[in-house]
Amino acid sequence: MTISLTEAVALVDAALARGRELNFAPLTVVVLDPGGHPVALKREDGSGIMRPEIATGKAWGALGMGLGSREMGERAAKVPHFANALMAASGGRVVPVPGGVLIWKDGKLMGAVGISGDTSDNDEICALAAIAAIGCIGQTGATPPA
């Protein structure tokens, strides 16, 4: 089971809408399928030129490690040498800070969303709101939802 283009576009649009409601800085949102392939991406006017890579790195790292990027960031702070090894092994593709959230539906991993543009905590707020808006559950930590 994988996230559809229709679901991914709805998720991206819901995340951007939440960012506007909360008056966050311009966001970039990417949705990846379970294999790490992009399904949808939008970058708001004024969102920095590196934001697509950062958002993708948050989502891709979450998929690669099987846990949300918030958890990866907490682990990186506790065990920096593992984080350095992870960065080397991934060719620098992993961004271990909040804003990369795994997407679950009916007990199945559907993909991941990554958001970059505001603070990482605010990026994650938009990700979780958007995941809920499409009827799915977000995973920010190590434990998949029941």
Side-chain angles (χ1 to χ4, degrees):
M1 183 177 266
T2 186
I3 193 159
S4 71
L5 177 60
T6 300
E7 291 168 318
V9 169
L11 191 154
V12 169
D13 290 342
L16 295 175
R18 187 68 178 142
R20 290 310 97 237
E21 288 170 12
L22 298 173
N23 200 33
F24 290 166
L27 301 174
T28 296
V29 183
V30 64
V31 177
L32 306 179
D33 70 15
H37 303 100
V39 180
L41 181 145
K42 286 187 180 181
R43 186 181 68 82
E44 287 185 304
D45 296 346
S47 187
I49 63 170
M50 289 187 59
R51 296 301 182 175
E53 290 82 5
I54 295 167
T56 300
K58 290 178 180 186
W60 193 83
L63 286 167
M65 292 300 294
L67 44 90
S69 64
R70 172 175 293 282
E71 177 72 19
M72 285 193 313
E74 291 171 2
R75 290 182 183 191
K78 293 177 189 171
V79 189
H81 61 279
F82 179 76
N84 290 336
L86 181 62
M87 296 302 284
S90 71
R93 291 180 66 184
V94 173
V95 179
V97 297
V101 181
L102 296 173
I103 305 164
W104 291 85
K105 185 175 185 180
D106 300 327
K108 305 284 185 199
L109 179 64
M110 303 288 290
V113 60
I115 301 180
S116 181
D118 204 280
T119 67
S120 293
D121 288 337
N122 287 346
D123 295 342
E124 185 180 85
I125 287 168
C126 293
L128 289 169
I131 291 168
I134 65 162
C136 293
I137 300 171
Q139 177 188 344
T140 61
T143 307

